[in-house]
Amino acid sequence: MTSVTKWAVAAAVLVGALIVALLPRGGDDSAAKPVGDLGAARSAAALQPCPAPGAAQPVKQLEGVTADCLGDGVRVDVGKALAGAPVLVNVWASWCEPCRTELPVLQEYAKQPGAVRVLGVQVQSPAKDGLDLLAKLGVHLPSVYDGNGQTGPVRTALKVPPRLPASYLVTAAGEIRFIANPPTFVNTDQVRAAVEGAS
């Protein structure tokens, strides 16, 4: 076999291997889905829609701060969405054990007559983990996703302490008040008292 023939055979084998490598594979369809596809997790969580921007002046401390709505991925201008009415903002992460206790309490509070709106802010954890946790807990509160890193725009603007969960009352006038006591809500009476005390 001449050296030219050897090169031709080697080239043919290489081309054949390349074609086989590029052929579509059967089996798990999920491998073909884009990374970060949250459609199924969002459907399972069935979160309430994030608040839409109102006509009132944006909350000054959150003016220009945006985050993705966890329920549908739509970009939310947080300063505008929280303007004009009192809102309880709860910052949580999927790995946070006290958050797992508190989130269902906030869900129950939000259903009560006279409750202020509640908005969750997921931080420091993957969005899918947060959606899976909310689905498992049966919590459907509107939430925004502030990223998986150590800081995010909402967390930075609120000056969230390292310990989670953290709750804030945004007043109708746009003032933001950190709720230090109790550090974690374990019943709806505590939530109501904290909201009234911060109003």
Side-chain angles (χ1 to χ4, degrees), residues 38-111:
L38 298 173
R42 285 180 168 142
S43 292
L47 301 187
Q48 296 169 2
C50 287
Q57 286 293 317
V59 176
K60 189 168 181 59
Q61 192 172 328
L62 292 165
E63 192 166 7
V65 174
T66 60
D68 292 335
C69 183
L70 190 58
D72 60 13
V74 171
R75 202 75 176 150
V76 176
D77 184 317
V78 180
K80 291 181 179 176
L82 300 183
V87 183
L88 179 63
V89 176
N90 179 256
V91 183
W92 60 276
S94 62
W95 48 260
C96 163
E97 285 302 322
C99 300
R100 292 168 183 252
T101 300
E102 185 171 79
L103 285 164
V105 172
L106 293 173
Q107 172 77 42
E108 284 306 308
Y109 164 77
K111 293 177 181 176

Side-chain angles (χ1 to χ4, degrees), residues 119-137:
L119 178 73
V121 180
Q122 184 194 349
V123 300
Q124 293 184 316
S125 48
K128 184 176 185 311
D129 291 358
L131 289 163
D132 290 347
L133 174 63
L134 294 174
K136 179 181 174 182
L137 296 175

